[in-house]
Amino acid sequence: MKDLKQAQKRYRPEIEGLRTITTLLIVIYHIWLGRVSGGIDVFFVLSGYLITMSLLSRMERAGRVRFGEYVGGLAKRLFPQALLVIIVIGILALLFLPQSEWNPIIAHMAASTLYFENWRLAFDAVDYLARDHAVSPFQHFWSLGVQGQFYIFWPILITAVYILARKVLKTPVRKTFLLALFVVFICSIGYSMYQTKVNQPWAYFDTFARMWEFSVGGMLALVLPYLFLNKWLNTVLGWLGLSIICLTGFLLPVSTVFPGYLALVPISGALLVLIASENSTKFGVDRLLSVKPLTFLGGLTYGIYLWHWPLLIFYKAVTDVETVPIVEGIVLILATVLLSLLSTKLLEAPILKLDKKQMNGKLAAVLCGLLVVTGSSILAITTYIEKVKADALVTGYDEKDYPGAKAVYENSDPPKGIAPIPAAIDIQSDLPSFYENPNCFAKNDVDVQKCSYGVVTDPGYTVALVGGSHSGHWFPALEVLAEDLNFRIDVYNHDGCRFTNEDPERHLTEACLQWNENLIEHLKEDPPDLVFTTSTLNKRKTIPTGYINQWKELEGITTIFAVRDNPRMKKNIPSCLEKNNNPMRCAIPRDQGVSKEVPWEKTEGIPSNVVFADLTDYFCDQTTCFSVIGNIIVYRDNNHITATYAKTLALPLKEPLEQALRDL
């Protein structure tokens, strides 16, 4: 049995052109459309295609892959520009980003440097607390992380298959490797479809859910010599493929449905272009992709990808705009190309010119130098951030200076001229204390976990705090009241998960809905005296049906204390306050934060075991919802209450809660 044909190794200008168009699509979609183009998926296919041909050629020529030489070649192409951009982003982040966004910088710098930013973002994606952080200027390094992990895995796979084919099975190497790639494809796409269905945010950054895209490119590299199409069909398919690549971002909500089977759309486009380009025709798509401007930019695409994202993030941070005007967007693209040209020609090109004799010494010295500078930058930035935190720390503050909600309750004016607390640099960590114990809140689990606080020994009442973060951020107020009202707090918290049994808008995970089902069974078996949860959602004029269904499940078993959800602000409050000396610039009209109608007055079918509480007046007056009340910042983002302010809500919460407990 003859082996598969070996594809000739030759320069492919149309691939450079395809890289250019794909990169420009990524940039344009990010800058003007605020969407994901699907271009990354095309790059994954191209990487699988090119690296498979390269590694197989090495293996068949030398009988092995020289791993040191291979890694050195990757390092001199990938590390210089990437490490430069990482250092620059770290420095500019301190200059242009608000202090409230500084804390994640170090973790993202380290993750990007070590090529696991995709996993950092995957964990953030299932961590509801991290989800509300501003978009990281390092976020685009996720795809480089996936590619880096692929580059390490692929030679190991090829070596294993080569040994298996030659030494054990006695079968042709390329056919055996084609079978191995098909197995990778089936396993990975199956896993990808499953994860995309049950936990899409995680799947998007999961290397294992992406590996099938590389395998598609690898399989094409093996079978392409066998594919012959007539000229007319070849021309049509090539242009069709390019059209698919360009339109994917318009047609599909890529960031919320990939990398499941729908990622086959841009991938099919890439395959059609590669197939059509293999057999050139007079009017083929490769004629466009091979023009000199596109092939020239093709050599800059790595730098363009690295520079475009931080430039966009810092531009938005400085100008405080969401939509980039056309002219400014063009300037951003030109600046991106210029920076890419400089970093490519002045940094990357000299390193790439090192021959094999020079590579071991000079390359190692250059790369080690860059790594040392990067590590030193991370250390210096960490030290500076910690110093700023220490300088901003406020301990043992006087309640008279920082009354919070008490100022509204007592209708008094707080002292003026006092900087509000918490400090911007610490505000993201101003959380309910139960978050200090990772066992006290589920992330993507279905198992019910309980943590008890307050009067744990022989309490007069048991209060179950149930739901997600919008229930959880009332915990500091309950903790203040627990001793006074003699109750134990049983925390049942699931990040990003409301107390509901349905999700018509598909915002919740299947794990969340299963957790809710399990929680109902648990509460029936061990009923608390009272369940504390939220009663409303955003500005909806009625109570969600899923909430009512859960309450009915507990009718006759326990009382539901349902508090109205707090207003949702239009901006990230800590960032807004850093940019504006006047807190009123961060306030919003009341009717933009909460519905004018009281939702439970407009909702039918509410069971008899529900007691409602409305504390909206401690967030808004008759016309305005505030960002700072009683010299305390109300929100740590645009919708979650700071623990510092939540503690001051104990006073207005006490009366309705005490009455509910007495009526049990």
Side-chain angles (χ1 to χ4, degrees):
M1 185 182 294
K2 294 182 178 181
D3 205 347
L4 290 172
K5 296 180 182 178
Q6 295 187 20
Q8 278 190 319
K9 187 177 181 180
R10 57 186 175 86
Y11 175 62
R12 300 286 299 271
E14 71 279 1
I15 290 182
E16 293 296 302
L18 181 58
R19 279 186 175 135
T20 299
I21 288 180
T22 303
T23 303
L24 290 178
L25 283 172
I26 292 171
V27 173
I28 289 168
Y29 272 76
H30 281 165
I31 290 177
W32 284 304
L33 303 179
R35 293 168 64 94
V36 178
S37 66
I40 294 298
D41 303 88
V42 175
F43 272 115
F44 287 167
V45 172
L46 290 177
S47 294
Y49 174 79
L50 294 171
I51 207 71
T52 297
M53 288 197 301
S54 174
L55 288 175
L56 273 178
S57 297
R58 295 186 192 196
M59 182 64 73
E60 292 168 338
R61 187 171 58 250
R64 64 190 178 95
V65 174
R66 293 183 174 87
F67 202 73
E69 179 183 314
Y70 166 74
V71 172
L74 287 175
K76 73 177 185 177
R77 284 191 289 113
L78 300 179
F79 280 12
Q81 288 199 77
L83 294 177
L84 172 65
V85 173
I86 288 169
I87 294 168
V88 171
I89 292 175
I91 295 171
L92 294 183
L94 298 183
L95 295 176
F96 296 119
L97 295 185
Q99 290 185 6
S100 57
E101 297 174 18
W102 284 8
N103 281 317
I105 289 175
I106 302 304
H108 286 292
M109 279 191 78
S112 299
T113 302
L114 299 174
Y115 278 76
F116 66 89
E117 174 68 356
N118 62 309
W119 294 111
R120 170 79 263 171
L121 292 171
F123 283 107
D124 284 353
V126 298
D127 183 348
Y128 192 77
L129 300 177
R131 271 190 245 172
D132 289 299
H133 290 169
V135 176
S136 168
F138 295 97
Q139 183 163 308
H140 63 316
F141 276 89
W142 78 266
S143 64
L144 302 184
V146 173
Q147 281 187 299
Q149 293 152 37
F150 157 74
Y151 287 143
I152 297 302
F153 170 68
W154 224 237
I156 296 173
L157 177 64
I158 286 180
T159 302
V161 171
Y162 183 85
I163 294 172
L164 182 67
R166 284 291 178 90
K167 306 295 184 182
V168 180
L169 300 178
K170 310 295 183 182
T171 54
V173 173
R174 293 195 170 220
K175 287 186 177 180
T176 308
F177 189 57
L178 180 62
L179 178 61
L181 290 185
F182 184 70
V183 172
V184 171
F185 171 80
I186 293 298
C187 294
S188 177
I189 196 171
Y191 171 76
S192 178
M193 290 167 63
Y194 168 77
Q195 277 289 11
T196 302
K197 180 180 179 182
V198 301
N199 191 3
Q200 188 273 335
W202 172 278
Y204 193 85
F205 301 110
D206 187 338
T207 302
F208 304 108
R210 293 282 186 173
M211 199 57 67
W212 67 272
E213 301 182 63
F214 296 99
S215 71
V216 168
M219 287 190 287
L220 179 66
L222 292 170
V223 303
L224 191 56
Y226 289 92
L227 299 178
F228 299 101
L229 305 175
N230 68 59
K231 291 185 177 181
W232 178 85
L233 183 60
N234 205 63
T235 301
V236 171
L237 291 181
W239 287 104
L240 175 62
L242 185 61
S243 300
I244 291 172
I245 291 171
C246 294
L247 294 175
T248 295
F250 283 108
L251 301 176
L252 298 173
V254 174
S255 63
T256 59
V257 298
F258 278 29
Y261 66 91
L262 285 174
L264 285 167
V265 174
I267 286 173
S268 66
L271 295 179
L272 291 176
V273 170
L274 289 172
I275 292 170
S277 299
E278 181 71 10
N279 301 290
S280 181
T281 61
K282 184 176 181 180
F283 300 104
V285 71
D286 58 298
R287 299 289 183 171
L288 169 66
L289 298 177
S290 300
V291 298
K292 286 189 176 180
L294 291 183
T295 57
F296 172 76
L297 288 174
L300 303 178
T301 52
Y302 182 52
I304 291 172
Y305 180 78
L306 286 171
W307 286 110
H308 89 281
W309 183 253
L311 286 183
L312 176 62
I313 295 301
F314 294 134
Y315 166 81
K316 288 188 172 184
V318 171
T319 60
D320 198 26
V321 300
E322 287 298 322
T323 303
V324 181
I326 296 295
V327 175
E328 282 86 341
I330 293 173
V331 172
L332 281 174
I333 292 175
L334 292 176
T336 298
V337 174
L338 177 60
L339 286 171
S340 175
L341 181 64
L342 292 173
S343 59
T344 300
K345 300 301 181 183
L346 299 181
L347 180 62
E348 180 185 282
I351 295 175
L352 288 177
K353 289 179 181 178
L354 295 174
D355 59 33
K356 290 184 179 180
K357 293 181 180 179
Q358 296 173 310
M359 186 182 295
N360 292 336
K362 288 187 177 180
L363 177 63
V366 171
L367 294 181
C368 286
L370 283 170
L371 286 171
V372 168
V373 173
T374 306
S376 299
S377 300
I378 294 174
L379 180 61
I381 291 171
T382 303
T383 303
Y384 180 72
I385 291 175
E386 291 304 317
K387 181 181 182 300
V388 173
K389 282 184 177 181
D391 293 343
L393 185 63
V394 177
T395 57
Y397 59 85
D398 192 336
E399 187 181 302
K400 293 179 181 178
D401 294 333
Y402 302 97
K406 187 177 180 180
V408 181
Y409 187 82
E410 296 178 346
N411 195 25
S412 60
D413 293 325
K416 299 185 183 301
I418 296 177
I421 58 172
I425 198 165
D426 283 323
I427 200 164
Q428 294 293 345
S429 58
D430 191 40
L431 303 168
S433 60
F434 72 82
Y435 281 110
E436 296 172 4
N437 184 347
N439 295 321
C440 293
F441 57 99
K443 291 187 176 180
N444 197 41
D445 304 323
V446 299
D447 297 330
V448 175
Q449 302 175 74
K450 179 179 78 173
C451 286
S452 298
Y453 298 87
V455 183
V456 178
T457 304
D458 196 25
Y461 306 98
T462 302
V463 175
L465 178 61
V466 170
S469 58
H470 274 245
S471 294
H473 63 199
W474 289 94
F475 176 81
L478 292 176
E479 199 171 27
V480 171
L481 295 173
E483 292 290 337
D484 190 15
L485 301 183
N486 191 27
F487 62 81
R488 184 181 77 223
I489 311 167
D490 287 341
V491 176
Y492 299 94
N493 188 271
H494 192 299
D495 277 355
C497 186
R498 302 183 283 271
F499 190 42
T500 183
N501 71 346
E502 62 178 47
D503 180 31
E505 297 177 354
R506 300 181 65 82
H507 289 163
L508 306 178
T509 63
E510 288 191 7
C512 165
L513 296 175
Q514 183 61 54
W515 177 83
N516 264 284
E517 185 177 325
N518 295 342
L519 176 60
I520 285 292
E521 295 304 315
H522 180 85
L523 294 176
K524 287 179 178 179
E525 293 174 3
D526 184 19
D529 296 300
L530 183 143
V531 171
F532 187 108
T533 190
T534 52
S535 64
T536 58
L537 180 62
N538 300 337
K539 287 177 58 182
R540 292 188 186 183
K541 296 180 180 180
T542 58
I543 297 172
T545 304
Y547 289 19
I548 295 174
N549 293 341
Q550 295 292 76
W551 301 345
K552 287 181 177 178
E553 288 284 342
L554 300 175
E555 191 170 15
I557 298 174
T558 187
T559 296
I560 307 294
F561 186 88
V563 65
R564 189 175 187 178
D565 200 6
N566 58 277
R568 301 196 177 219
M569 309 298 279
K570 297 301 180 183
K571 297 181 179 180
N572 181 291
I573 295 304
S575 299
C576 180
L577 291 172
E578 285 191 69
K579 296 172 184 176
N580 298 282
N581 292 326
N582 184 0
M584 289 304 296
R585 292 182 178 177
C586 306
I588 61 172
R590 179 176 173 126
D591 59 5
Q592 291 184 16
V594 292
S595 63
K596 294 181 180 179
E597 300 85 359
V598 178
W600 49 85
E601 294 178 356
K602 302 290 183 179
T603 304
E604 297 181 354
I606 297 173
S608 60
N609 62 329
V610 182
V611 176
F612 292 102
D614 188 351
L615 274 69
T616 304
D617 290 343
Y618 295 91
F619 298 93
C620 318
D621 62 15
Q622 294 303 308
T623 60
T624 306
C625 293
F626 301 99
S627 59
V628 177
I629 297 175
N631 290 331
I632 297 178
I633 301 174
V634 179
Y635 302 95
R636 56 182 169 82
D637 42 42
N638 72 330
N639 65 97
H640 290 102
I641 309 168
T642 61
T644 304
Y645 186 73
K647 290 176 183 176
T648 70
L649 290 168
L651 192 60
L653 180 63
K654 180 178 179 180
E655 184 178 343
L657 184 60
E658 185 174 25
Q659 185 62 51
L661 292 173
R662 286 177 178 173
D663 292 343
L664 290 176

